[in-house]
Amino acid sequence: MTSLTLNGVTVNFPFTPYDCQKDYMRKVIECLQTKANGVLESPTGTGKTLCLLCSTLAWREHFRDTISARKIAERLGSEEMFPNTPLSSWGTAATDGDTPAYYTDVPKIIYASRTHSQLAQVINELKNTSYRPKVCVLGSREQLCINQEVMRQESNHIKVHMCRSKVSTRSCVFYNNCEEKSIDKELVNSILDVEDLVKFGNKQRACPYYLSRSLKQQADIIFMPYNYLLDPKSRRAHNIELNGAVIIFDEAHNVEKTCEESTSFDLTPYDIASAIDAVNRLLVEQAKDVSHGDSVSGDFNVDSLNSGLKIEISDIAKIKQILLNLEAAIDSYDVPSDKGITKPGSFIYELLERAQLTYSSKTAVCEALDQIIGHLTGQPGVFLNTSGLQKLADILQLVFCGEPSEKEQELQMQSNTAHFKVHIHQDTSYNKKKQSADVWSSSSSKKQGNVLSYWCFSPGFSMQDLVSQGVRCIILTSGTLSPLSSFTSEMRIEFKVSLENSHVIDRDQIFVSVIDKGPDGVHLSSAFDRRFVPENMASLGNTVANLSRVVPHGLLVFFPSFPLMEKTLEFWRAKGHADRIETVKPIFVEPKGKGTFTEVMDGYYSKVSDPASKGGTFFAVCRGKASEGLDFANTFGRGVIITGLPFPPRMDPRVILKMQFLDEMSRKNTSKLKYLSGQQWYRQQAFRAVNQAIGRVIRHREDYGAIFLCDQRFKNSDARAQLPSWVRPYVRLYDSFGNVVREVSQFFRVAQKMRPVLETKAVAESCDTLRLPDMRSSGFASCSFSQSSNTQKAKVLDAHLPSLKRRRLNEQAGANGMARICIEYECEVKESQRRPANLLDALEQGDHGMGEDDDDAVVGEEKANRLSTLSLQHDKRMDDEMRGGKRKIRLVQEQKKTRLEENKDSRAKTFLAEMKKSLSQVTFEGIVQALQTYKKSDNLDVLLTKTTVLSEDANTHSLLRGLYQFVRAHHKQRFDEKCQELTGQGCGYKPDHSLPKDKKTVLKLHGATDSQAAVALNSPSGTSNCTQLNTQQLNKGGRHLNQQGLGGPQTGSAPKSEVHAAFLADVKKALGAEKSAQLFQAIYSYKKTDNYENLVTTVVSLFTERDEDFNLLVRFGVFIRPHHKKQYKDMLDSLVGQSDSAADVPAPSEDQQRHVSLSPTLKTQSKISNFFSSSQRK
């Protein structure tokens, strides 16, 4: 730990800081001391986050110490307590020289970043410092709620209202425990991120959401996503106090967009129609009560109190009238189909007034809406869409912000709308996938109407709002804020402190070249009139192909947009350029959707890490996922090619209006803060995206790489001036393409000699933080590795979890060959135990990944080549998921699929492809979303409701019936009956279709002889002549899976022990598919990590939610390893008051004994406990 003094403040830093890090910390402290706003740019890899935390917390401690010194001085009078260190030397900078302060005046630090995954990285950095402040991280119920009843709800606002209802009636056991657990030392004194908080909540059975709110009161530093700060309704919901606080926006290059979006809205015809439908439903319900003599406004019984409805039926009718008037007002404008009508921002008040929505009526209407939403979301039974009502309530809070008197209303309205425009345009989405759950809803929800858009065009509106709250200072920091002048002018507040920091790298670590002409001498340009010219596309293809030969390892190629990338790739495939690139560095393409993104990244990492390969090429898009938050350190990103300038779409209404707004404000401007012109903003957006993509290449002090700017417009000095300050000094212009190749070849030869990388070590240990934008989870270390093709084992790509964790396969030291396959397959959690395994899993991540090749048996380099997406179709992902997520184990010698599996995969893929061709994109996505929802919730009603659109047209009846293959066994009969009713033809249902898969498997296994099982697996040499292992036998377990290996004598082995089978059946029945999956995942993690605490946290939360499940908690002792059994028994004694051998295996029931008599070969040891014990012997 190094101590250094900067601006009179002593900062403790984990290591000796570089000069650029000292400069950065000085600027941060200057902002804090002088109460000045700051905009600080420091390139990625310079330790920006660590510097920010250390300097801010050091200043805060100094502030507190100065207060302590003043209090001591007051007690001592004129005497000096420390003669050698007089009080005057303590300085007054920390407290601004104001009158003596109190400890309550010490400012809170509010640290905001874009996503929770980025915040998790910041919190990990904080743990590496010597500072231990009281910490709080704020999250939504979506991330923090652990009440399964609430989390099962579809939309976020329903979760909010259900949570509030349970809290108000104290019917949430987790909330009821909050007060007691909020003072727990483990909670208060620890530095916890969102995942840690949820883990603590599950362990203590206390609500993490309300625990975080209680921590906020005493916290020194509060972490939150920055939309919590910028969105006024989020700020109110979380009760964030800003007076005197220090606000830090990390990764602030996205703040401008978030500021504008958080104060804008689009009110669609569907929103209003769904709100009217919801109010209609309530009116009918209340009318029935009145007709039965129940007074709506009379005394309330317990049910009415729980429903929260405390308004009269006449008020509900008024809300309906307001909605009808609003719909009529918006639709009264005759809007041209090709463009909309634009009005000044103040027009919003005129429009809303036609629906009786004014400042005077705002409070009453909002309260009524809140009452109605709370009542409807609290009703059991059929889901009712209240999103339209919630949206209207949010709009009123935004438009009618402030509480002005009648005299000040006009002034307030002008102030509120100065940065806004109203835009009315036709609704062209025909968004049927969002139709309400009531299929027979009124025609108003299905007709086309106008969309009312209220768009903010100045991020300064939100920034000025923060300043008006009395904050001490605002610090904006990122690796890519250049050009700073244009960035600060957009914010509309004064930034007295600014910094464009240098990098920690040396000149020999970076090569930057402008390539204005390709190898054939053709000028390169992505300008609108040049981008699709064949000569230009061919020249760019030759350029990339040639550079791929001289850039070692990983090469990143960024295109301005998805359409441009797709058309360029199509041209390159047809003309042979793609083949040239592919032969050197296989191509991996960023997918549009997030479904297959992780798998494509895994393939790229694996290929680059493979010592036998020359690397890989990753094609991505500026402003895409890869350009925003992905880490391409070391060999994963030795070169970045920018193929053009990514200007925003010029004809987009919002872009047009933004440019018009800025030009208008520039003409009117009288303040000293200048506005950008529309054209300046337009250019700024392009270069900001370029700078973000460039930032992928050099990620730390010892990294090196090359940047190629392949557009002739980069030759202009004005364009180069927009690049980051750390890049500008290294930009070189060359006369010919040959000179570029010669120079960059020399650059990499020198760099590799001066900074050699042990490639084998990188393969095993290279861990790069993978952080995706708009995702809900924390960032984790992403480890890419490659395995020798002669190692016979199952290689697994993890499912696309929100947390984006990619696990390394557990290396089994004592096993090789065939035995290793069996052991490693045994490590996996059986998908068939989690939930019914069927074709629904193919839709887990949407419709991406439909390909043509059915062969997924890819290991080593063959797998990386397979994932190299010349066809842009990630069919391996689809093939895996078509089997319900079960991971097939294949041998290296002969890897073929059974005819049944091929037919099943092919049939499902063909059906999905046919459906996509037959339906509009919107309808197809709606069907896919419905199937995904069904897969998660197991609610057939939702699926039937959202796929009813297929019954409206005789041409799509076959598609509706085709969905039968995705329906789970216990729903097949009902789905068949529904199809018969809607289309006049069933789906070919048979009684055996309703049998669960495990029962079918048991029947099959009972019909198989023990000798067949032995033949399938018994091979002393570790090889096999069979084309594929019998994975059913592997799934069901038996003696062939124990540590004695496969060479021993194989007698009759049990497919599954009777104890295990009975327990699994009881767990599924008691917990359901979703929670059962959680349990099996916990068992799997326990087997791999031996982490008893994590296992018990999950098990206790699952089995103690209902009293009747306590018996399962006792019986779960069968899975506890011997060295943990005493702990488990003690915990059971404290939970259920039993002192018997709770952690031992319970005796089989009579039914189980009868089962044993029918199957004498069954063994009494379960597959999982057998494997645990064998692991212990190792």
Side-chain angles (χ1 to χ4, degrees):
M1 190 65 64
T2 301
S3 290
L4 64 155
T5 302
L6 302 171
N7 294 13
V9 176
T10 301
V11 180
N12 295 323
F13 206 68
F15 49 84
T16 304
Y18 299 113
D19 288 342
C20 65
Q21 292 173 327
K22 292 179 185 177
D23 294 340
Y24 186 87
M25 289 190 282
R26 283 193 190 96
K27 291 291 186 179
V28 172
I29 294 172
E30 182 183 344
C31 292
L32 300 170
Q33 289 176 333
T34 61
K35 296 185 179 181
N37 300 324
V39 54
L40 313 176
E41 181 187 64
S42 192
T44 302
T46 55
K48 166 174 56 68
T49 300
L50 193 61
C51 293
L52 197 54
L53 290 170
C54 289
S55 55
T56 304
L57 293 172
W59 170 82
R60 195 177 186 281
E61 283 190 0
H62 187 67
F63 193 108
R64 181 181 289 276
D65 290 343
T66 307
I67 295 174
S68 300
R70 285 181 170 174
K71 289 184 178 295
I72 293 170
E74 289 172 2
R75 294 288 182 90
L76 295 177
S78 59
E79 299 179 27
E80 290 286 356
M81 187 173 183
F82 308 104
N84 296 329
T85 310
L87 182 63
S88 58
S89 69
W90 287 51
T92 59
T95 53
D96 322 306
D98 295 338
T99 54
Y102 301 96
Y103 289 117
T104 53
D105 294 333
V106 180
K108 283 186 185 294
I109 310 297
I110 296 179
Y111 194 112
S113 193
R114 198 166 60 85
T115 64
H116 273 292
S117 61
Q118 291 169 339
L119 289 174
Q121 295 303 309
V122 176
I123 292 171
N124 283 334
E125 289 279 16
L126 178 58
K127 293 175 182 177
N128 295 330
T129 71
S130 63
Y131 298 99
R132 288 297 175 266
K134 291 180 180 178
V135 168
C136 165
V137 56
L138 294 181
S140 66
R141 289 173 175 84
E142 185 77 31
Q143 288 135 346
L144 294 174
C145 179
I146 57 176
N147 187 312
Q148 292 304 310
E149 185 182 353
V150 174
M151 291 309 293
R152 276 196 294 267
Q153 304 308 309
E154 290 192 10
S155 65
N156 187 55
H157 76 272
I158 291 182
K159 291 175 186 175
V160 170
H161 282 278
M162 182 174 284
C163 171
R164 288 175 182 169
S165 173
K166 287 183 174 295
V167 167
S168 63
T169 57
R170 298 196 69 83
S171 58
C172 176
V173 63
F174 304 105
Y175 172 76
N176 295 343
N177 290 336
C178 271
E179 190 172 349
E180 176 187 351
K181 300 300 181 183
S182 62
I183 57 174
D184 190 296
K185 287 185 179 179
E186 182 187 350
L187 176 70
V188 176
N189 298 330
S190 300
I191 297 176
L192 306 177
D193 62 19
V194 165
E195 285 206 350
D196 297 329
L197 199 55
V198 170
K199 193 180 294 183
F200 177 87
N202 276 316
K203 183 178 178 182
Q204 302 291 340
R205 291 182 59 74
C207 176
Y209 178 77
Y210 282 98
L211 283 176
S212 72
R213 292 174 75 111
S214 67
L215 287 174
K216 176 169 63 71
Q217 307 306 319
Q218 303 301 322
D220 301 323
I221 181 167
I222 305 171
F223 296 96
M224 66 184 74
Y226 51 57
N227 62 300
Y228 284 31
L229 271 179
L230 298 172
D231 189 339
K233 61 178 182 290
S234 292
R235 207 160 61 225
R236 285 193 300 271
H238 290 90
N239 194 25
I240 299 170
E241 178 56 50
L242 297 180
N243 188 34
V246 172
I247 296 180
I248 297 171
F249 287 102
D250 197 2
E251 303 299 335
H253 54 273
N254 284 306
V255 163
E256 173 197 348
K257 183 179 178 182
T258 307
C259 283
E260 293 181 355
E261 290 183 349
S262 65
T263 50
S264 302
F265 67 79
D266 295 290
L267 186 65
T268 67
Y270 165 75
D271 293 325
I272 301 176
S274 67
I276 293 171
D277 286 343
V279 174
N280 276 337
R281 181 74 63 91
L282 184 57
L283 279 172
V284 171
E285 174 191 313
Q286 294 300 306
K288 286 180 182 177
D289 290 343
V290 171
S291 67
H292 290 131
D294 298 330
S295 173
V296 177
S297 58
D299 295 333
F300 296 105
N301 56 26
V302 174
D303 290 335
S304 66
L305 279 173
N306 287 342
S307 73
L309 190 62
K310 301 174 184 176
I311 60 174
E312 306 227 9
I313 192 169
S314 58
D315 292 330
I316 302 174
K318 288 177 182 175
I319 295 296
K320 179 179 178 180
Q321 189 60 52
I322 287 174
L323 290 168
L324 292 171
N325 291 343
L326 180 59
E327 182 180 49
I330 297 172
D331 289 342
S332 65
Y333 293 92
D334 187 13
V335 181
S337 58
D338 57 334
K339 58 183 179 179
I341 298 173
T342 303
K343 301 279 187 181
S346 57
F347 177 77
I348 193 72
Y349 292 107
E350 179 184 329
L351 185 65
L352 294 179
E353 189 174 2
R354 292 169 60 182
Q356 294 81 50
L357 293 171
T358 62
Y359 263 108
S360 57
S361 66
K362 175 196 77 168
T363 303
V365 173
C366 285
E367 288 177 357
L369 289 172
D370 200 46
Q371 290 284 323
I372 294 170
I373 296 168
H375 174 75
L376 293 174
T377 54
Q379 286 184 325
V382 180
F383 164 74
L384 186 63
N385 192 342
T386 57
S387 60
L389 290 171
Q390 185 63 53
K391 193 167 193 176
L392 180 60
D394 293 340
I395 286 171
L396 295 180
Q397 294 287 357
L398 171 66
V399 174
F400 296 101
C401 62
E403 299 291 340
S405 63
E406 288 189 21
K407 292 181 179 178
E408 297 172 343
Q409 275 186 16
E410 191 65 33
L411 194 60
Q412 179 78 46
M413 287 156 65
Q414 290 178 1
S415 171
N416 288 350
T417 59
H419 303 95
F420 291 80
K421 294 285 185 186
V422 175
H423 187 67
I424 301 174
H425 54 100
Q426 283 189 7
D427 178 23
T428 56
S429 64
Y430 301 103
N431 206 348
K432 290 185 181 179
K433 70 176 180 177
K434 292 184 177 179
Q435 289 296 332
S436 68
D438 181 3
V439 179
W440 315 111
S441 56
S442 66
S443 60
S444 63
S445 64
K446 299 182 180 179
K447 74 179 185 64
Q448 183 182 0
N450 292 337
V451 176
L452 172 64
S453 296
Y454 184 62
W455 290 333
C456 177
F457 290 114
S458 174
F461 180 76
S462 294
M463 284 293 161
Q464 289 168 349
D465 187 30
L466 291 181
V467 171
S468 69
Q469 303 290 321
V471 300
R472 182 182 182 89
C473 64
I474 298 173
I475 298 175
L476 302 178
T477 183
S478 177
T480 49
L481 294 177
S482 298
L484 287 190
S485 58
S486 60
F487 181 81
T488 54
S489 68
E490 275 277 90
M491 294 297 121
R492 308 308 300 157
I493 59 174
E494 189 175 8
F495 290 94
K496 293 182 178 178
V497 180
S498 65
L499 173 70
E500 287 187 83
N501 218 350
S502 58
H503 214 300
V504 292
I505 59 172
D506 297 325
R507 175 176 287 276
D508 63 328
Q509 290 174 258
I510 183 172
F511 177 93
V512 188
S513 169
V514 174
I515 301 179
D516 65 323
K517 289 184 287 189
D520 50 6
V522 175
H523 284 284
L524 300 175
S525 174
S526 66
F528 186 76
D529 59 342
R530 287 275 304 162
R531 59 180 59 177
F532 296 128
V533 173
E535 292 79 9
N536 181 70
M537 297 169 78
S539 186
L540 182 61
N542 292 330
T543 301
V544 175
N546 280 287
L547 292 177
S548 68
R549 296 181 182 279
V550 294
V551 175
H553 310 298
L555 175 65
L556 311 176
V557 183
F558 285 100
F559 291 83
S561 67
F562 273 108
L564 181 54
M565 178 175 72
E566 289 167 357
K567 285 207 172 188
T568 303
L569 275 174
E570 186 180 336
F571 179 88
W572 288 355
R573 287 191 207 103
K575 301 298 182 182
H577 300 91
D579 290 337
R580 288 176 55 199
I581 300 169
E582 185 85 11
T583 54
V584 182
K585 297 184 190 296
I587 298 172
F588 298 81
V589 182
E590 177 181 6
K592 275 187 179 179
K594 58 187 176 185
T596 53
F597 184 83
T598 307
E599 184 168 337
V600 175
M601 288 309 309
D602 279 331
Y604 173 75
Y605 284 142
S606 181
K607 172 55 72 175
V608 174
S609 299
D610 186 356
S613 81
K614 295 181 180 179
T617 311
F618 192 86
F619 285 11
V621 172
C622 292
R623 301 188 190 91
K625 297 180 187 65
S627 71
E628 275 291 324
L630 222 57
D631 203 357
F632 293 95
N634 301 323
T635 56
F636 296 124
R638 286 299 184 214
V640 170
I641 297 176
I642 305 296
T643 64
L645 287 169
F647 288 103
R650 190 62 183 261
M651 301 312 293
D652 183 278
R654 202 159 181 172
V655 172
I656 294 171
L657 291 177
K658 171 78 174 184
M659 295 175 69
Q660 290 175 357
F661 169 83
L662 289 172
D663 289 336
E664 180 183 325
M665 298 307 288
S666 296
R667 290 193 299 270
K668 293 180 180 178
N669 186 43
T670 55
S671 67
K672 60 181 179 180
L673 294 172
K674 290 186 178 180
Y675 274 93
L676 290 175
S677 69
Q679 192 59 38
Q680 287 173 328
W681 171 84
Y682 191 67
R683 285 173 56 80
Q684 176 214 65
Q685 294 301 300
F687 282 99
R688 185 84 42 78
V690 166
N691 295 344
Q692 191 67 20
I694 285 173
R696 302 307 97 204
V697 70
I698 296 180
R699 308 297 293 180
H700 58 82
R701 175 67 182 87
E702 295 301 320
D703 206 356
Y704 61 89
I707 300 166
F708 305 97
L709 306 173
C710 298
D711 192 309
Q712 62 180 352
R713 289 172 291 183
F714 283 109
K715 286 186 68 175
N716 298 329
S717 57
D718 289 346
R720 298 198 303 276
Q722 307 295 310
L723 297 173
S725 60
W726 64 274
V727 171
R728 288 197 293 267
Y730 307 112
V731 178
R732 309 178 195 179
L733 303 176
Y734 291 93
D735 295 333
S736 67
F737 185 80
N739 291 337
V740 176
V741 172
R742 185 179 64 252
E743 290 289 326
V744 76
S745 300
Q746 176 67 16
F747 165 79
F748 280 116
R749 278 197 297 271
V750 172
Q752 287 172 321
K753 287 180 182 177
M754 296 182 65
R755 292 175 174 79
V757 177
L758 297 176
E759 301 303 339
T760 54
K761 182 177 179 182
V763 168
E765 300 178 2
S766 176
C767 293
D768 301 293
T769 301
L770 175 61
R771 293 173 301 161
L772 284 188
D774 296 326
M775 296 301 264
R776 113 177 203 203
S777 63
S778 306
F780 290 91
S782 164
C783 300
S784 298
F785 63 99
S786 167
Q787 292 145 327
S788 173
S789 61
N790 62 6
T791 302
Q792 298 177 358
K793 65 201 286 185
K795 180 160 181 186
V796 181
L797 280 174
D798 279 354
H800 297 173
L801 300 174
S803 61
L804 296 174
K805 295 178 182 174
R806 291 201 292 277
R807 300 187 298 268
R808 180 181 304 218
L809 267 178
N810 187 25
E811 298 283 348
Q812 300 292 341
N816 54 36
M818 188 74 120
R820 175 173 288 187
I821 297 179
C822 297
I823 291 169
E824 296 204 358
Y825 190 88
E826 184 75 354
C827 296
E828 296 303 315
V829 185
K830 296 184 298 180
E831 186 69 22
S832 60
Q833 287 178 333
R834 291 200 197 111
R835 66 187 68 150
N838 58 31
L839 296 177
L840 274 176
D841 290 314
L843 291 147
E844 182 173 354
Q845 298 298 336
D847 61 316
H848 303 288
M850 291 183 290
E852 298 172 359
D853 191 349
D854 289 336
D855 184 12
D856 69 334
V858 190
V859 290
E861 182 167 350
E862 186 182 352
K863 174 193 167 187
N865 287 336
R866 185 65 200 82
L867 277 171
S868 171
T869 50
L870 265 182
S871 64
L872 281 177
Q873 305 293 329
H874 315 295
D875 37 70
K876 181 180 181 300
R877 166 75 175 167
M878 178 59 79
D879 289 347
D880 283 345
E881 292 179 334
M882 286 296 181
R883 292 189 302 270
K886 279 173 57 177
R887 299 172 174 99
K888 293 291 178 184
I889 300 182
R890 304 184 176 274
L891 304 183
V892 174
Q893 289 89 345
E894 295 180 43
Q895 302 175 2
K896 293 186 183 283
K897 298 164 84 171
T898 67
R899 179 69 59 188
L900 181 63
E901 292 163 344
E902 286 181 350
N903 290 343
K904 186 178 180 182
D905 289 358
S906 177
R907 187 171 63 251
K909 288 194 299 181
T910 303
F911 171 75
L912 289 173
E914 185 63 32
M915 184 167 70
K916 187 170 185 178
K917 284 192 290 185
S918 303
L919 303 176
S920 69
Q921 182 68 21
V922 169
T923 304
F924 177 72
E925 289 176 357
I927 300 296
V928 170
Q929 182 63 44
L931 285 165
Q932 289 174 332
T933 303
Y934 169 66
K935 177 181 180 299
K936 294 174 184 174
S937 67
D938 199 39
N939 188 336
L940 184 64
D941 290 327
V942 174
L943 179 63
L944 289 172
T945 296
K946 297 194 175 182
T947 56
T948 307
V949 64
L950 298 177
S951 68
E952 296 174 358
D953 185 347
N955 293 325
T956 58
H957 286 180
S958 61
L959 296 178
L960 178 62
R961 291 190 292 271
L963 295 175
Y964 181 76
Q965 62 189 305
F966 298 102
V967 175
R968 291 180 174 138
H970 55 291
H971 286 144
K972 283 192 180 291
Q973 182 176 2
R974 189 173 158 211
F975 188 85
D976 180 77
E977 293 169 353
K978 193 67 176 177
C979 284
Q980 183 74 42
E981 175 189 334
L982 292 174
T983 69
Q985 185 178 340
C987 306
Y989 169 78
K990 296 179 182 178
D992 64 310
H993 292 181
S994 294
L995 284 176
K997 183 159 185 174
D998 52 356
K999 289 188 180 179
K1000 289 181 183 177
T1001 306
V1002 168
L1003 290 174
K1004 289 179 185 177
L1005 286 173
H1006 282 190
T1009 64
D1010 293 329
S1011 60
Q1012 287 172 321
V1015 168
L1017 291 165
N1018 191 10
S1019 177
S1021 64
T1023 62
S1024 173
N1025 294 325
C1026 63
T1027 58
Q1028 181 172 329
L1029 276 167
N1030 186 335
T1031 55
Q1032 292 289 356
Q1033 293 291 338
L1034 288 175
N1035 267 330
K1036 297 304 177 183
R1039 274 184 56 185
H1040 56 275
L1041 290 175
N1042 65 19
Q1043 189 57 30
Q1044 277 92 15
L1046 301 172
Q1050 300 291 330
T1051 60
S1053 56
K1056 186 185 291 183
S1057 77
E1058 65 280 5
V1059 174
H1060 190 197
F1063 180 76
L1064 290 179
D1066 291 346
V1067 165
K1068 288 181 181 178
K1069 184 177 179 181
L1071 301 184
E1074 185 177 347
K1075 291 185 179 178
S1076 297
Q1078 284 182 249
L1079 177 66
F1080 294 126
Q1081 183 63 43
I1083 295 172
Y1084 169 66
S1085 299
Y1086 174 58
K1087 184 260 148 216
K1088 293 192 78 172
T1089 65
D1090 199 40
N1091 191 325
Y1092 172 78
E1093 286 294 325
N1094 285 353
L1095 175 70
V1096 169
T1097 296
T1098 302
V1099 170
V1100 170
S1101 69
L1102 291 175
F1103 290 152
T1104 58
E1105 199 165 306
R1106 303 186 308 165
D1107 291 343
E1108 54 265 37
D1109 293 340
F1110 269 83
N1111 178 50
L1112 295 174
L1113 184 65
V1114 175
R1115 292 168 58 192
F1116 187 78
V1118 69
F1119 299 111
I1120 303 299
R1121 284 174 170 163
H1123 57 288
H1124 290 143
K1125 279 191 181 289
K1126 186 177 185 307
Q1127 282 176 265
Y1128 192 75
K1129 182 178 179 299
D1130 292 343
M1131 182 203 70
L1132 285 178
D1133 291 344
S1134 64
L1135 279 176
V1136 299
Q1138 295 180 355
S1139 58
D1140 55 353
S1141 300
D1144 293 332
V1145 180
S1149 65
E1150 292 181 12
D1151 289 340
Q1152 293 163 355
Q1153 289 170 356
R1154 283 198 297 273
H1155 182 66
V1156 173
S1157 67
L1158 291 172
S1159 303
T1161 59
L1162 292 177
K1163 303 298 178 182
T1164 58
Q1165 186 179 26
S1166 75
K1167 165 186 163 183
I1168 295 180
S1169 59
N1170 177 34
F1171 183 66
F1172 285 167
S1173 60
S1174 68
S1175 298
Q1176 286 302 108
R1177 289 195 295 275
K1178 285 189 286 186

